[in-house]
Amino acid sequence: SAVISQKPSRDICQRGTSLTIQCQVDSQVTMMFWYRQQPGQSLTLIATANQGSEATYESGFVIDKFPISRPNLTFSTLTVSNMSPEDSSIYLCSAVVGGQPQHFGDGTRLSIL
Amino acid sequence: DAKTTQPNSMESNEEEPVHLPCNHSTISGTDYIHWYRQLPSQGPEYVIHGLTSNVNNRMASLAIAEDRKSSTLILHRATLRDAAVYYCILPIFSGTYKYIFGTGTRLKVLA
């Protein structure tokens, strides 16, 4: 199974700033996704990270707030822009390798002061 | 989109079997049923998936009703390490297969 590494694992940020989260997969992946998990809640899909093209965002999420890049098959970044306390969440990356079900990273725990 | 319904929480005694139910009455004929679990401070972990037939792997068994409108994840002998939130998911195809997570079932295992 694929190993997914996220950096940073946690961070505390000031409101109004931006943070970029990195996701690295150790295998050639077909698809990559980004999720948000607010405190005590389930996971919500933010977007599909498309290689070499703009990400596909779910309803309620916009590129200006959550720009995503995927320059190659195994690496993607999610930026949380102009952060407010409401953005305090766990952000998770997942990947599909071959025909297998999605594998998830352990997430980035983000707190906004 | 097909949706799933799970109990919010369940309890089990250690070393006893656990049956975690999931209702998916709007499932279509080609929808797979996936189960994941999320242990504390970790990302979701794949458990098992199936289409029509019952499935077994080293972690669990998946029993799928004949009409496919419900399924049950079976942990044969619960351990304290099985305490987690268990999610039943029907991947949605929209250009690619996406997961829409429901609220899941929080399993508490009693020593």
Side-chain angles (χ1 to χ4, degrees):
Chain A
S1 62
V3 175
I4 300 177
S5 303
Q6 284 188 234
K7 292 181 180 179
S9 59
R10 61 178 67 240
D11 207 340
I12 301 173
C13 300
Q14 297 294 322
R15 66 179 67 200
T17 63
S18 297
L19 178 74
T20 296
I21 302 167
Q22 299 180 359
C23 177
Q24 178 72 56
V25 187
D26 70 344
S27 308
Q28 297 289 313
V29 304
T30 307
M31 303 298 299
M32 294 182 76
F33 302 90
W34 287 97
Y35 293 81
R36 180 176 72 183
Q37 187 169 28
Q38 295 176 300
Q41 303 296 313
S42 181
L43 283 77
T44 301
L45 180 63
I46 297 173
T48 303
N50 300 309
Q51 190 211 348
S53 65
E54 191 171 290
T56 304
Y57 290 84
E58 298 299 307
S59 176
F61 297 96
V62 295
I63 187 172
D64 290 347
K65 178 66 176 178
F66 299 102
I68 290 170
S69 76
R70 189 180 168 197
N72 59 52
L73 284 173
T74 62
F75 183 78
S76 179
T77 66
L78 167 75
T79 299
V80 186
S81 303
N82 188 25
M83 289 183 286
S84 66
E86 293 71 35
D87 295 319
S88 296
S89 293
I90 301 172
Y91 292 87
L92 299 107
C93 168
S94 77
V96 176
V97 176
Q100 299 177 17
Q102 288 185 34
H103 295 277
F104 287 81
D106 282 337
T108 296
R109 283 153 183 78
L110 183 56
S111 297
I112 314 302
L113 302 179
Chain B
D1 294 341
K3 295 180 65 174
T4 62
T5 304
Q6 300 176 252
N8 288 331
S9 63
M10 292 184 65
E11 284 188 0
S12 173
N13 294 318
E14 196 176 12
E15 304 210 351
E16 289 187 356
V18 182
H19 290 230
L20 298 165
C22 180
N23 287 320
H24 30 77
S25 59
T26 60
I27 192 171
S28 74
T30 58
D31 286 340
Y32 276 81
I33 302 158
H34 288 225
W35 283 82
Y36 280 74
R37 70 180 186 181
Q38 188 174 22
L39 295 128
S41 300
Q42 295 186 24
E45 173 188 29
Y46 167 77
V47 178
I48 201 166
H49 75 284
L51 182 63
T52 56
S53 304
N54 295 344
V55 185
N56 301 291
N57 66 20
R58 65 175 179 82
M59 291 181 69
S61 295
L62 176 60
I64 302 172
E66 193 168 340
D67 64 5
R68 299 204 336 118
K69 293 186 177 183
S70 66
S71 61
T72 302
L73 180 70
I74 303 166
L75 306 179
H76 295 286
R77 289 181 64 213
T79 70
L80 296 178
R81 289 175 295 178
D82 291 321
V85 179
Y86 287 78
Y87 295 100
C88 168
I89 303 167
L90 304 183
I92 297 170
F93 186 78
S94 177
T96 184
Y97 281 102
K98 302 187 296 187
Y99 288 173
I100 306 300
F101 281 76
T103 55
T105 296
R106 183 174 297 277
L107 175 65
K108 184 175 181 180
V109 180
L110 306 175

